[in-house]
Amino acid sequence: MARRLIDEEDPDRLYTVTGGRSRPAEDAFDLVTLIVSECDPTPGMQSEHAKILRLCHEPVAVVELSSDLGLPVSVVKILLSDLLDMGKITARHPSSKRVEAQLPAPEFLKQVLVGLRNI
């Protein structure tokens, strides 16, 4: 497969694909966000949306989708935002958020310290 430069992409096509938008409605995606389709493509769906749904039966990173579709990441994020709003995909970051560790009560720690001193 021959690589092509993004500069060679027809800007009118990208404008049409995104509906004239230059940014997604929300910042729910970064390059490693994993995307999973929740349904199959429906008749009459935009072809890029249908391709995304077909590619994402198993988790796929945003950057991989961009490569597979041959579209800039910014355009793919806009398309993913559309699909997320329609409930057709699920998006999650591969690293889970850290939960703040709950420290034991100070009184309990004092009792442990006393117990250790008595050993």
Side-chain angles (χ1 to χ4, degrees):
M1 178 175 148
R3 292 184 62 131
R4 59 188 166 110
L5 296 173
I6 291 175
D7 294 338
E8 294 174 7
E9 183 70 54
D10 181 13
D12 293 338
R13 178 178 174 275
L14 296 179
Y15 182 86
T16 304
V17 166
T18 62
R21 294 168 291 160
S22 61
R23 293 188 181 93
E26 53 190 81
D27 289 330
F29 310 103
D30 60 16
L31 295 178
V32 295
T33 302
L34 296 175
I35 308 299
V36 179
S37 60
E38 296 295 328
C39 63
D40 290 325
T42 57
M45 179 180 275
Q46 183 176 339
S47 64
E48 288 79 10
H49 286 152
K51 287 178 190 174
I52 290 171
L53 292 178
R54 282 192 293 274
L55 290 170
C56 294
H57 285 292
E58 294 189 16
V60 179
V62 171
V63 70
E64 289 178 71
L65 282 174
S66 175
S67 175
D68 291 344
L69 296 170
L71 293 172
V73 172
S74 58
V75 172
V76 172
K77 286 181 179 182
I78 293 169
L79 296 171
L80 291 172
S81 179
D82 294 343
L83 290 169
L84 187 63
D85 290 345
M86 292 186 275
K88 298 196 180 284
I89 61 167
T90 301
R92 75 173 185 85
H93 199 277
S95 64
S96 59
K97 293 184 179 179
R98 297 176 77 180
V99 177
E100 290 293 321
Q102 291 188 344
L103 295 176
E107 188 59 37
F108 175 76
L109 293 175
K110 287 178 187 176
Q111 290 173 359
V112 170
L113 184 60
V114 168
L116 289 172
R117 286 185 182 154
N118 290 335
I119 294 181

